């Protein structure tokens, strides 16, 4: 056989034809009736065992249980895909029925006017579903809670000690009252709630109790004159701890592990002080005195003569684990997800760690902060939002769902306080922390988290803060001191420049926010 | 019959024209239209004239991206072209055996792609455990093995340039080796007879012989450098220390996908087209001149 263009071209044509035919006749994999997209494999692993029961529950005994699947898509891919689908105005089975969005990506979805946001507002669903029920007046509860009794159908309210009949309350609490209220704030725009909080992520401080005890340094006793440990006092204790070990030849031992190249932890500490870098009304708070003061102090923790931080975590998970095992890193700012990371990284260090509350700068600061999070959302134009909401209730809000989330290895406190007192995980001691009831500590802190607000410009403001942080840290490494007026003057100017940048971004964003409706999707 | 003959070339061209028109020309025109509109969600937009372009002119972040991108492109060329030429000269030496094997080995990284290079260099440069850091720790104990290549602006730049060089040096070397092998041997012999030193032979015979290929490598390298995105994105996992990971394409992605600001993203795309054209035109002229 001869082919006038030659055998290689013939072979390529053959491959193209066979490949094309294979693609053309290949049947796309069947979509499940309900599909959840998540960016986190541990989330999928925690929920996988629940799916058969959830499907049965959604089937309602009709014998036609819907197929339910949780699909893991890497975070960046998930957001690029979802933004593309929403901007192209796709609908139906092109969209996931439920999607988990990591909090640092939420702002990008909240840019358009509320009516144009791609997610379904949940206000009505939250206000009309999930009425709390109790079996007996002896059921666990908290002050102010209302519930309908499954025994007599009446409404009861909890007065702090027991449930009492409350004829003045028309109904038991619905989901809107049963979820930690402050956690709706990041996912709310113009009063409309676009996502259910998957978590609370109260934040505490994990530290190597054994090494601090050997050094004779106590991190938990309040600073004299107050009922909390003040940051400057805390730093002095950390420096004493490091000096003790340096005196015994251990030079590479650090009290903390704070980020020096990004502002994630710094932004969480600012939130503890009530500072959202971009407030919902568009105010930018980079030049706020609280921001400047906290940044100056924090920069001194990560660089310069008062440094108490190793910055191991930016070296990757392996470097972090190695430094934890070697005692290079002896303290970690730890929301519940990071405590889970710690358990996974150093399971052999049982009993050597302890958890305590975060220090504070000021008595008015919250006793905790929140760092990270996941929003559970329903795309507005998905196949059947009502059924998707029932899936959300079964998977994220039901007692089995919240307990699956609480249990290690996920170990994340759900945003439903009803789940906390009833949970065996919350009641149990944590082996890594010497039997300390760490989940209980998180549950105590959770109602006190500060309200966090996210806008499309929040991530940019955090990046701008990180830029100034790295400038400040470089200055301190070069011999500057955090307390000197020259240093303050410099970084005040840096903050002012970045504030102007963020304000310019916001002003430009208003162009889009004022968009008028026109026919047809963006192409 | 004659009209069918006249139609034939156009019929052959039709598949290309359909693909070119549908997947290149049409999106290009649409993106130009998008760059003068503001989008708020999928069904809301309005004309804003040149507002996005004006914003880019005054946005310092955009200029940081332009500066980063231009400096990376310049550094890549400064590293890649001499290294490629050096390797090509070594492989072109008569006493080298297994030339095909070396050529393949050096070309292999180019097949790996930017993302794999980003991942690979993340492992190689990991503080404490990375091979490079271990070597630094052994050879320079005072520096230690804990260099953090992803948080120090200078080290991050060095790492990105090294990763791109690792990817592209072999590719450039293959082109230059082919060019070297096509230089007329008689020119070298004549130069030797005239008493030319090795440097003079390189300067007056080799370089003019490979100049068109060098010009091509500079052109392609410049365009590739200006489009840099995946490698710093993977390696720095974000904007990097002091925004060293922010390139023009990264800026475009941030505007388009992180902020849903498709209008400004489209404008950035067009500015990039202009930048690449401005960088390419003088080089194309020079190439034409050298030919």
């Amino acid at each position: 056989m001869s082919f006038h263009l030659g055998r290689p071209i013939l072979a390529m044509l053959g491959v193209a034809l066979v490949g094309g035919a294979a693609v053309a006749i290949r049947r796309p994999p069947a979509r499940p009736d309900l599909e959840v997209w998540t960016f986190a494999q541990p989330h999928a692993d925690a929920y996988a065992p629940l799916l058969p029961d959830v499907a049965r529950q959604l089937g309602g005994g009709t014998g036609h249980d819907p197929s339910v699947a949780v699909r893991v898509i890497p975070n960046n891919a998930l957001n690029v895909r979802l933004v593309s689908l929403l901007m192209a105005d796709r609908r139906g089975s092109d969209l996931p029925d439920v999607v988990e969005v990591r909090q640092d990506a939420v702002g990008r979805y909240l840019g358009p006017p509320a009516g144009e946001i791609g997610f379904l507002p949940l206000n009505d669903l939250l206000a009309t579903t999930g009425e709390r029920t109790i079996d007996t007046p002896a059921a666990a509860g908290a002050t102010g809670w209302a519930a309908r009794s499954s025994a007599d159908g009446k409404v009861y309210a909890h007065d702090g000690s027991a449930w009492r009949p409350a004829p003045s309350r028309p109904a038991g609490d619905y989901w809107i009252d049963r979820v930690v209220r402050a956690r709706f704030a990041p996912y709310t725009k113009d009063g409309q709630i676009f996502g259910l909080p998957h978590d609370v992520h109260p934040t505490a401080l994990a530290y190597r109790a054994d090494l601090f005890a050997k050094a004779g340094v106590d991190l938990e006793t309040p600073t004299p004159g107050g009922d909390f440990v003040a940051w400057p006092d805390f730093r002095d204790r950390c420096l004493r701890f490091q000096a003790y070990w340096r005196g015994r030849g251990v030079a590479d031992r650090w009290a903390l592990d704070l980020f020096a190249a990004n502002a994630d932890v710094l932004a969480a500490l600012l939130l503890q002080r009530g500072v959202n870098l971009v407030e919902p009304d568009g105010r930018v708070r980079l030049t706020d005195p609280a921001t400047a003061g906290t940044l100056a102090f924090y920069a001194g923790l990560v660089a310069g003569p008062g440094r108490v931080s190793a910055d191991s975590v930016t070296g990757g998970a392996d470097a972090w684990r190695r430094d934890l095992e070697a005692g290079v890193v002896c303290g970690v700012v730890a929301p519940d997800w990071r405590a889970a990371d710690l358990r996974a990284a150093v399971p052999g260090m049982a009993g050597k760690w302890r958890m305590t509350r975060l220090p504070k700068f000021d008595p008015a600061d919250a006793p905790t902060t929140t760092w990270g999070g996941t929003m559970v959302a329903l795309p507005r134009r998905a196949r059947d939002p009502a059924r998707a909401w029932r899936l959300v209730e079964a998977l994220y809000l039901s007692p089995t769902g919240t307990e699956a989330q609480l249990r290690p290895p996920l170990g994340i406190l759900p945003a439903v306080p009803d789940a906390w007192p009833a949970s065996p995980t919350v009641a149990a001691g944590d082996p890594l922390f010497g039997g300390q009831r760490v989940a209980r500590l998180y549950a105590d802190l959770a109602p006190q988290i500060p309200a966090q607000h996210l806008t499309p410009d929040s991530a940019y403001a955090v990046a701008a803060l990180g830029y100034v942080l790295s400038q400040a840290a470089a200055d301190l490494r070069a011999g500057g001191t955090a307390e000197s007026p020259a240093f303050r003057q410099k970084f005040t100017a840096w903050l002012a420049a970045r504030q102007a940048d963020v304000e310019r971004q916001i002003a430009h964003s208003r162009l889009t926010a004022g968009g008028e409706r026109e026919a047809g999707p963006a192409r | 019959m004659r009209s069918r003959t006249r139609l034939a070339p156009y019929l052959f061209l039709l598949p290309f024209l359909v693909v070119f028109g549908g997947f290149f020309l049409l999106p290009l025109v649409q993106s130009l239209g998008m760059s003068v509109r503001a989008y708020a969600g999928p069904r809301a937009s309005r004309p804003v004239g040149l507002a996005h372009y004006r914003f880019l002119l005054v946005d310092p972040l955009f200029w940081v991206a332009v500066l980063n991108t231009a400096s990376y492109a310049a550094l890549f060329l400064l590293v890649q072209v001499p290294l490629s030429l050096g390797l090509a000269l070594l492989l072109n030496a008569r006493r080298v055996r297994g030339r095909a094997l070396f050529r393949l080995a050096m070309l292999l990284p180019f097949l790996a792609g930017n993302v794999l290079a980003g991942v690979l260099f993340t492992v190689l440069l990991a503080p404490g455990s990375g091979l490079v850091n271990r070597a630094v720790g052994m050879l320079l104990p005072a520096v230690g093995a804990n260099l953090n290549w992803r948080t120090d602006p200078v080290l991050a730049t060095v790492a990105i340039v090294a990763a791109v060089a690792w990817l592209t040096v072999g590719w450039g070397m293959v082109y230059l080796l082919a060019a070297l092998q096509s230089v007329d041997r008689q020119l070298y012999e004549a130069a030797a007879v005239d008493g030319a030193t090795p440097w003079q032979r390189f300067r007056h015979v080799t370089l003019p012989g490979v100049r068109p290929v060098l010009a091509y490598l500079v052109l392609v390298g410049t365009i590739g450098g200006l489009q840099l995105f995946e490698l710093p994105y993977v390696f720095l996992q974000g904007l990097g220390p002091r925004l060293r990971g922010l390139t023009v394409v990264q800026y475009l992605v941030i505007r388009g996908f992180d902020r849903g600001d498709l209008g400004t993203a489209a404008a950035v795309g067009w500015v990039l087209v202009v930048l690449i054209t401005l960088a390419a035109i003088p080089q194309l002229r020079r190439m034409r001149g050298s030919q």
Side-chain angles (χ1 to χ4, degrees), chain A residues 245-329:
Chain A
W245 287 107
R246 302 245 183 312
R248 276 148 190 81
V250 187
D252 200 13
R253 175 154 292 166
W254 303 93
L256 290 174
D257 183 27
L258 302 172
F259 299 164
N262 73 54
D264 287 3
V265 176
L266 177 57
L269 296 185
L270 284 168
L271 187 64
Q272 187 187 8
R273 309 196 69 185
V275 176
N276 281 281
L277 288 176
V278 183
E279 298 289 358
D281 60 5
R283 254 182 321 129
V284 182
R285 297 186 63 183
L286 281 171
T287 50
D288 192 293
T291 308
T294 311
L295 169 64
F297 183 83
Y298 183 94
L301 295 179
V302 299
R307 177 185 164 193
V308 294
S309 172
D311 191 24
S312 292
V313 74
T314 42
D318 280 344
W320 191 56
R321 179 182 47 75
R322 213 180 29 257
D323 283 353
L324 288 168
E325 282 173 346
V328 174
V329 170

Side-chain angles (χ1 to χ4, degrees), chain B residues 1 12 25 45 60 87 97 99 110 145 174 191 195 202 253:
Chain B
M1 185 70 188
F12 279 111
L25 212 54
S45 73
L87 281 173
R97 291 185 183 174
R99 185 174 299 159
F110 184 67
V174 169
F202 174 75
V253 169

Side-chain angles (χ1 to χ4, degrees), chain A residues 314-381:
Chain A
T314 42
D318 280 344
W320 191 56
R321 179 182 47 75
R322 213 180 29 257
D323 283 353
L324 288 168
E325 282 173 346
V328 174
V329 170
C330 300
V332 173
V333 173
D336 48 3
W337 59 267
R338 212 152 179 237
D341 286 354
L342 204 56
R343 283 184 210 102
V346 286
M349 296 179 80
K352 294 185 175 176
W353 288 81
R354 189 169 162 77
M355 190 76 78
T356 186
R357 292 176 176 227
L358 281 179
K360 298 203 289 188
F361 288 95
D362 188 86
D365 295 351
T368 186
T369 184
T370 177
W371 174 15
T374 298
M375 171 178 89
V376 179
L378 310 182
R380 203 189 279 263
R381 293 172 183 277

Side-chain angles (χ1 to χ4, degrees), chain B residues 121 155 166 181 185 191 225 232 239 253 272 274 277 281:
Chain B
F121 273 72
L155 290 179
W166 178 77
Q181 287 169 349
R185 288 271 152 206
L239 299 180
V253 169
L272 187 60
V274 171
T277 308
I281 284 174

Side-chain angles (χ1 to χ4, degrees), chain A residues 321-509:
Chain A
R321 179 182 47 75
R322 213 180 29 257
D323 283 353
L324 288 168
E325 282 173 346
V328 174
V329 170
C330 300
V332 173
V333 173
D336 48 3
W337 59 267
R338 212 152 179 237
D341 286 354
L342 204 56
R343 283 184 210 102
V346 286
M349 296 179 80
K352 294 185 175 176
W353 288 81
R354 189 169 162 77
M355 190 76 78
T356 186
R357 292 176 176 227
L358 281 179
K360 298 203 289 188
F361 288 95
D362 188 86
D365 295 351
T368 186
T369 184
T370 177
W371 174 15
T374 298
M375 171 178 89
V376 179
L378 310 182
R380 203 189 279 263
R381 293 172 183 277
R383 287 175 286 190
D384 185 349
R387 189 161 68 160
W389 176 249
R390 286 196 288 131
L391 170 64
V392 167
E393 287 186 287
L395 206 56
Y396 297 99
L397 299 168
S398 69
T400 45
T402 51
E403 186 57 26
Q405 187 175 320
L406 262 164
R407 264 196 309 269
L410 195 53
I412 289 175
L413 196 74
V416 187
D418 292 59
W420 308 340
S423 165
T425 310
V426 171
D430 194 318
L432 183 72
F433 296 89
Q436 185 185 5
R437 295 201 300 166
V438 167
R440 178 75 262 161
L441 174 66
Y442 282 130
D444 290 343
L445 291 172
Q448 306 174 72
I449 60 160
Q452 180 186 22
H453 300 284
L454 294 175
T455 75
D457 304 289
S458 300
Y460 180 55
V462 173
L465 185 67
Y467 188 84
V468 179
L469 171 63
S470 77
Q471 283 179 302
D475 196 82
L476 292 177
R477 283 188 203 107
T481 50
E483 290 79 19
S484 74
F487 175 76
R488 295 251 167 180
Q489 207 174 352
K490 261 193 276 191
F491 85 74
T492 303
W494 293 332
L495 281 173
R498 299 290 79 81
Q499 166 112 356
D501 288 350
V502 180
E503 285 172 346
R504 198 178 295 111
Q505 299 283 336
I506 291 173
H508 187 64
S509 298

Side-chain angles (χ1 to χ4, degrees), chain B residues 175 179 207-217 219 281-291:
Chain B
Y175 273 85
L207 268 186
V210 300
R211 186 166 290 152
V213 173
L214 279 177
Y216 170 75
L217 288 181
L219 176 66
I281 284 174
Q283 294 178 46
L284 283 169
R285 279 196 182 145
R286 201 166 300 141
M287 274 174 77
R288 201 175 298 156
S290 69
Q291 279 166 353

